[in-house]
Amino acid sequence: MGPNARDIRVGLDRLVAGMTGLKHEGRFHEPNLDGTAGDYISFDSWEWPQGVGLYGLIRLWLFTGRDDLRQLVENWYEARLAAGLPELNVNTTAPMLGLSVLWAKTGNPRWQPVLDDWADRVIADMGRTPEGGFEHHVSDKVNDNELWDDTLYMVALFLASYGQASGRRALVDEASRQFLVHARYLSDPQTGLWFHGWTFDGRHNFARARWARGNAWITAGILDFFDLAEIAAPVRTFLEGVLTSQVDALLPLQTASGAWRTLLDDESSYEEISATAGIGYGLLKGHRLGLGTPAWQAAGLKALEAVMSNIDMNGTVLNVSYGTRMGHDLQFYKDIPIQPTGYGQALAILCLSEALQHVGAEGQAA
């Protein structure tokens, strides 16, 4: 018998505590291009792991109605805005997704000028590849002419969310374009899985890595895209087909523990829990939305068990791979160190929150 609703709620309380307690302890030195110190771990830093983390907290607030979570998130944004925002890039856009969902639900007018300005600058200033994809420029590296899976979660979902909530349809259309361009170059027609990246310089997929967390950004991201905005029927139908092909490939690669490996199709690579949480979240959500078969739900609940067995008593998600640059060989991915992170916490929160809608009191599928 799998986890029941009470177990999941206890796990969620621990995950929130674990996320807000994250601190950078000097293990990684990653200075930004402007000379400032990069902090991809501490909860109070404005970066992409924290951005995904806030989105997870907001989703949990919306599901539970817990006012303490809303207050926690609002206080975070107030403090970060008062301190001043960093330069625009793909990864510093990630926290705008949570702010957009928060504004859409509360209608608080203080957030809209910030959202409007950032959305305008994304459209006007973000680097573009051929065919109009967003180049994956980040705080510590310029990646000219490169498309990465991560960009869809960090930028396109914000445009979709804010475009829908504000009535700016052009932003939703731009998000749709990004999903289409990225799918053209990153989805592998041979397997249905997604490669980590593509470069127009030499036109190749780098190591052709079918990297787990990159695939998780897609499984979760396509379904969140459907949730956040009204999408033109041909785009939605196309993406449903892409998602189904991906899931058909993912299901046989799930390990006996319920997890997926950091290189999905390489049995010598380690099991990785942030990807497992993201994929599990997507599978459960896809089944709930009527897109997937009962096998999606069964695999999602199996992933839930793997995630919950990797939450320690302090609420820290274990066996999460650290932020991963573009690898030029497959060994690079197998060598990425394990490190608790905001996105590990957040993807686990999304997985457990969604699972509450699939289990009864005794843990059976609902």
Side-chain angles (χ1 to χ4, degrees):
M1 185 178 294
N4 59 35
R6 182 186 166 282
D7 294 336
I8 293 171
R9 289 183 190 279
V10 170
L12 283 164
D13 285 342
R14 283 191 185 142
L15 287 169
V16 172
M19 180 188 298
T20 56
L22 288 175
K23 289 278 183 269
H24 191 287
E25 295 171 341
R27 181 180 175 195
F28 302 99
H29 176 59
E30 297 183 286
N32 293 325
L33 292 173
D34 63 5
T36 58
D39 184 349
Y40 301 90
I41 298 172
S42 303
F43 181 63
D44 60 0
S45 174
W46 183 290
E47 257 296 345
W48 71 271
Q50 296 82 356
V52 180
L54 291 157
Y55 178 62
L57 290 175
I58 288 168
R59 284 279 187 187
L60 182 58
W61 161 58
L62 294 176
F63 182 67
T64 62
R66 283 176 48 187
D67 202 55
D68 61 315
L69 293 174
R70 179 189 60 78
Q71 195 63 55
L72 172 68
V73 169
E74 287 190 337
N75 290 346
W76 190 94
Y77 281 110
E78 284 179 358
R80 300 282 66 74
L81 291 173
L85 296 185
E87 294 293 316
L88 170 83
N89 61 53
V90 165
N91 284 350
T92 57
T93 300
M96 288 294 171
L97 171 59
L99 189 62
S100 172
V101 176
L102 181 67
W103 172 75
K105 294 300 179 184
T106 65
N108 192 320
R110 68 183 144 170
W111 307 127
Q112 189 166 17
V114 178
L115 292 162
D116 257 336
D117 175 67
W118 201 278
D120 289 345
R121 290 195 293 134
V122 167
I123 299 300
D125 300 339
M126 196 162 277
R128 303 271 187 161
T129 69
E131 300 182 36
F134 289 137
E135 291 177 313
H136 194 80
H137 296 327
V138 295
S139 301
D140 61 354
K141 194 167 190 299
V142 172
N143 298 299
D144 285 330
N145 283 320
E146 294 181 17
L147 299 172
W148 294 27
D149 297 327
D150 321 41
T151 304
L152 294 176
Y153 214 87
M154 307 311 155
V155 182
L157 291 186
F158 159 59
L159 294 179
S161 169
Y162 186 60
Q164 183 72 31
S166 65
R168 294 179 59 179
R169 288 300 307 173
L171 299 180
V172 179
D173 290 344
E174 183 61 58
S176 296
R177 177 194 193 182
Q178 294 304 318
F179 271 90
L180 294 173
V181 172
H182 282 72
R184 168 160 153 73
Y185 288 102
L186 297 178
S187 65
D188 173 18
Q190 188 174 14
T191 64
L193 301 173
W194 282 51
F195 296 121
H196 185 184
W198 166 268
T199 178
F200 286 92
D201 294 341
R203 300 182 70 90
H204 59 77
N205 291 108
F206 296 96
R208 295 177 65 81
R210 299 174 185 96
W211 174 52
R213 192 162 58 244
N215 275 265
W217 296 133
I218 300 309
T219 317
I222 289 175
L223 286 155
D224 283 351
F225 186 38
F226 293 165
D227 234 10
L228 290 166
E230 296 169 21
I231 305 157
V235 176
R236 183 178 173 119
T237 304
F238 170 78
L239 290 175
E240 286 176 1
V242 168
L243 176 66
T244 300
S245 293
Q246 187 207 30
V247 172
D248 287 345
L250 284 169
L251 293 183
L253 297 173
Q254 190 174 25
T255 69
S257 73
W260 280 269
R261 296 181 181 87
T262 198
L263 288 174
L264 291 164
D265 49 0
D266 184 341
E267 293 189 4
S268 69
S269 68
Y270 59 79
E271 295 183 4
E272 203 280 323
I273 297 304
S274 71
T276 298
I279 293 168
Y281 164 66
L283 292 173
L284 291 171
K285 187 169 187 172
H287 181 262
R288 177 170 59 82
L289 296 179
L291 298 174
T293 66
W296 289 34
Q297 186 186 50
L301 291 171
K302 195 174 167 188
L304 169 72
E305 292 189 46
V307 173
M308 291 189 67
S309 69
N310 278 277
I311 302 170
D312 72 13
M313 291 305 293
N314 296 319
T316 303
V317 182
L318 308 174
N319 292 306
V320 170
S321 65
Y322 190 58
T324 304
R325 301 176 189 277
M326 189 58 57
H328 292 264
D329 58 61
L330 296 178
Q331 187 63 40
F332 171 84
Y333 293 88
K334 295 194 274 190
D335 293 341
I336 294 292
I338 300 297
Q339 169 68 42
T341 65
Y343 55 83
Q345 302 295 127
L347 289 167
I349 286 172
L350 290 172
C351 184
L352 269 65
S353 298
E354 178 62 38
L356 277 174
Q357 302 174 72
H358 296 260
V359 302
E362 300 304 319
Q364 72 275 14

